[in-house]
Amino acid sequence: MSPAASHPTSAAAPHPTSPATHGSPPPPQLATRARAMALGVIATSMLMIVLDGSIVTVAMPAVQDDLGFTPAGLSWVVNAYLIAFGSLLLLAGRLGDLVGRRPVFLFGIGLFTAASLVAGAAGSPAVLIAARFAQGVGSAMSAAVALGILVTLFTEPAERARAIAVFSFTGAAGASIGQVLGGVLTDALSWHWIFFINLPIGLAVLLTAVRVLPADRGQGLAAGADVAGALLVTAGLMLGIYTVVGVESYGWVSARTLGLGTLALVLLAGFVLRQATARTPLMPLRILRSRKVSGANAVQMLMVAALFSFQVIVALHLQKVLGYGAAATGLAMLPAAVVIGAVSLGLSARLCARFGERTVLLTGIALLIGALGLLSRVPVRAEYVTDLLPVMLLAAGFGLALPALTSLGMSGAGEDDAGLASGLFNTTQQIGMALGVAVLTTLAAGRTEALRASGSTSAEALTGGYRLAFTVGAALLATAFAVAFLMLRREPATAGGRAGAEA
């Protein structure tokens, strides 16, 4: 049975504000227009969230000078957001299934927008960190259900592929635009405006979403109000991410890292045990029985961990080795965003329809392996046109891989679990990013220090550290390719029907 036939969030259901009354369906043109506007709302919300994550990094020195942050305290401007965002995605996704994805999305956007106002007006480190944590909570609530809303609006494979391509493009665009916009706003106005810019966007998204997103009631809290499970998974993820973001300062084998990491694993293991025995589990373990869901999440974690080295360490190489400024760094990485956008919007949906998501995903990962392979041999005095521009163009693989991977991951979930699958998919993305930050930067820093101790110049030592990070990133992508090849094989025609019946 198609999801459109069984759930109130389906695109086939008339919207309360639609001219259609007494159960009659809205005109096709109206339904198409309303869904297009809904997609625009979801994509814009993700653009704002991703942009906020990258725009802050450029303004960090100005924030430190103005508010008097210590070097250790400054990292919490990023960490507070990351911990709240990454740890609450799974809970927020399931909450969307239970109470309705539309109200969770609206509340999340409202909270994010209000927290952005507080962050922009912050006059002390404590206020800014608290506002960033609140931003993370709002981002988690809206992002966790965004894909769930999208896949229930667009049920036809071709339409869904195009919608997911738009959704994926906005994420890539937000990261690149944020790096450029952060430098421009900070230099032209002040760091406060990197948060104030969210206000008009957030209000526009909120007002439009109220009109165009289809109303849904959810299954009710009785269908999965697992308070103990919610506490276990939230505490476990929050503690785990907190542990990982502190690795750079404390090391992998410190008592702090080992102790907190063990406790986080115990909490998460307790959550899994709870889900296997609870009468109304927060995360029904049946969702992981789908090879598409489990395989796509494993591939995404590996892929995102590897691609952190592209997004962040390339920027560090441009600034610390080649002497680029903040705005010049953003412009140098702009070709990557352009090719990702062109591929994800113009080619990925058609290629997926013709060759299948798995083939397109494997092709995209192969291109990305080539990009990091080139970076693993980047010279100290790299020329942009000959050494770096080819890497930016090979980033087109991300425009192929992410939409295909998203389609695979969401297609394996039943209608009632769409919000949970969306939250799980975003959770593995954040965990992958956190692990990428910890592992790759630690390896790069260790290699750099060793080269400096052996007499290398600063530029040579930094380049050597970055090369090691790129090499490990390429290995992670190769592992992702193998997992995708083995786990995301085409299932028999009857498997989808059986999975839907079980759900």
Side-chain angles (χ1 to χ4, degrees), residues 319-482:
Q319 294 185 41
K320 292 189 174 183
V321 177
L322 301 183
Y324 284 45
T329 298
L331 291 173
M333 298 182 71
L334 193 59
V338 172
V339 295
I340 289 171
V343 170
S344 62
L345 289 177
L347 287 177
S348 63
R350 283 180 287 176
L351 292 175
C352 286
R354 182 170 181 180
F355 300 106
E357 288 93 346
R358 178 175 177 267
T359 301
V360 174
L361 170 62
L362 292 173
T363 303
I365 295 177
L367 291 175
L368 294 173
I369 292 173
L372 291 192
L374 289 177
L375 286 173
S376 68
R377 304 180 63 182
V378 66
V380 177
R381 295 178 178 83
E383 295 292 335
Y384 181 79
V385 173
T386 57
D387 297 314
L388 296 176
L389 184 58
V391 173
M392 302 299 171
L393 298 179
L394 284 174
F398 192 69
L400 291 176
L402 186 58
L405 184 61
T406 305
S407 296
L408 287 167
M410 294 302 296
S411 66
E415 173 68 16
D416 289 341
D417 293 328
L420 175 61
S422 175
L424 179 63
F425 198 76
N426 282 288
T427 299
T428 56
Q429 186 179 84
Q430 295 303 309
I431 292 173
M433 288 177 62
L435 289 173
V437 170
V439 174
L440 297 178
T441 56
T442 301
L443 289 173
R447 177 64 175 163
T448 297
E449 290 303 317
L451 289 173
R452 280 175 174 161
S454 66
S456 298
T457 65
S458 178
E460 291 171 342
L462 286 169
T463 303
Y466 298 151
R467 283 175 183 163
L468 176 60
F470 295 137
T471 302
V472 174
L476 290 173
L477 285 172
T479 305
F481 185 96

Side-chain angles (χ1 to χ4, degrees), residues 117-315:
L117 175 61
V118 176
S124 68
V127 172
L128 181 56
I129 291 173
R132 289 288 288 162
F133 188 89
Q135 277 188 311
V137 175
S139 296
M141 296 186 73
S142 56
V145 298
L147 275 174
I149 296 173
L150 187 149
V151 298
T152 54
L153 281 173
F154 298 90
T155 56
E156 293 298 323
E159 285 186 333
R160 180 178 290 184
R162 287 192 293 269
I164 288 176
V166 172
F167 181 85
S168 302
F169 164 72
T170 56
S176 300
I177 294 171
Q179 291 176 327
V180 179
L181 191 60
V184 172
L185 288 175
T186 302
D187 291 343
L189 298 172
S190 72
W191 67 265
H192 301 275
W193 285 91
I194 66 173
F195 299 112
F196 287 151
I197 195 173
N198 292 328
L199 299 182
I201 302 175
L203 289 173
V205 167
L206 195 61
L207 293 174
T208 308
V210 170
R211 294 177 49 246
V212 302
L213 291 187
D216 62 313
R217 293 175 298 176
Q219 306 166 43
L221 291 176
D226 180 14
V227 177
L231 292 175
L232 284 170
V233 71
T234 303
L237 287 172
M238 192 171 290
L239 186 60
I241 295 172
Y242 173 77
T243 303
V244 168
V245 298
V247 164
E248 189 174 359
S249 300
Y250 295 93
W252 285 100
V253 295
S254 67
R256 175 190 182 277
T257 300
L258 294 177
L260 293 180
T262 301
L263 181 56
L265 290 175
V266 169
L267 290 170
L268 293 175
F271 168 71
V272 174
L273 180 62
R274 169 70 181 175
Q275 302 314 288
T277 58
R279 185 175 179 181
T280 55
L282 176 71
M283 187 185 80
L285 296 182
R286 66 173 180 266
I287 194 172
L288 298 179
R289 295 174 191 163
S290 168
R291 195 170 63 206
K292 286 184 178 179
V293 172
S294 55
N297 278 278
V299 170
Q300 178 176 232
M301 188 179 297
L302 290 165
M303 194 170 73
V304 171
L307 292 178
F308 171 80
S309 63
F310 178 83
Q311 182 177 345
V312 177
I313 298 182
V314 167

